[in-house]
Amino acid sequence: MFPPSPNSLMEMSLQIGDPRNARLFFHELGFLTSRIFRDDDEDMHFLFYDADIVAKLVDDISTIMLDFTYNVCPVVPNANLQLRTVMCVYRGHAIPVLWFIISRKTTNAYRKMCSLIRELFATSNILMIVTDFELPLRVALRETFGATVYLI
């Protein structure tokens, strides 16, 4: 049984944290960690990832790819949610490892998202990031990862 559709981002955050919904985050080989975070504008966003998979891949990552979609996000009144998938190129294959649900397309939202990516990939030697051309995102990536990372 799935929880009802949330009426707000706050309600969605409560549903994610509710132990009765924990089964939604388990998969055949593990589980997804969820983090609810706010950016400097106090907008709420969500991160999901399998910490064991990230830990196994993190030291061998030099390229990450980021892509957005709106088609598979929860429908929440007065929220234009987008799903950001972060994929790592590992041994020649793109593997999705992080999923962000972002509630605003602002530089501050992207800064916070990028800082979390940086935190989770702290031991990676990221040399290239492939993403859409969106100025607020590129500003946040450049601020977070520096001028030596190639943005495509």
Side-chain angles (χ1 to χ4, degrees), residues 56-74:
K56 288 176 187 172
L57 303 179
V58 71
D59 291 333
D60 296 316
I61 302 302
S62 62
T63 301
I64 61 173
M65 300 183 295
L66 295 89
D67 192 29
F68 274 130
T69 185
Y70 295 91
N71 296 331
V72 294
C73 285

Side-chain angles (χ1 to χ4, degrees), residues 24-75:
L24 300 174
F25 299 101
F26 282 87
H27 59 86
E28 190 174 309
L29 300 175
F31 66 94
L32 295 177
T33 297
S34 62
R35 290 174 67 177
I36 301 163
F37 61 95
R38 291 187 180 272
D39 61 32
D40 288 345
D41 297 324
E42 290 300 314
D43 291 319
M44 186 182 297
H45 313 282
F46 307 87
L47 165 61
F48 304 93
Y49 64 98
D50 184 316
D52 291 337
I53 290 175
V54 170
K56 288 176 187 172
L57 303 179
V58 71
D59 291 333
D60 296 316
I61 302 302
S62 62
T63 301
I64 61 173
M65 300 183 295
L66 295 89
D67 192 29
F68 274 130
T69 185
Y70 295 91
N71 296 331
V72 294
C73 285
V75 176

Side-chain angles (χ1 to χ4, degrees), residues 3 11-25 34 36:
E11 187 176 323
M12 186 171 152
S13 72
L14 294 172
Q15 288 176 339
I16 290 169
D18 188 334
R20 294 175 294 178
N21 296 324
R23 72 192 181 291
L24 300 174
F25 299 101
S34 62
I36 301 163

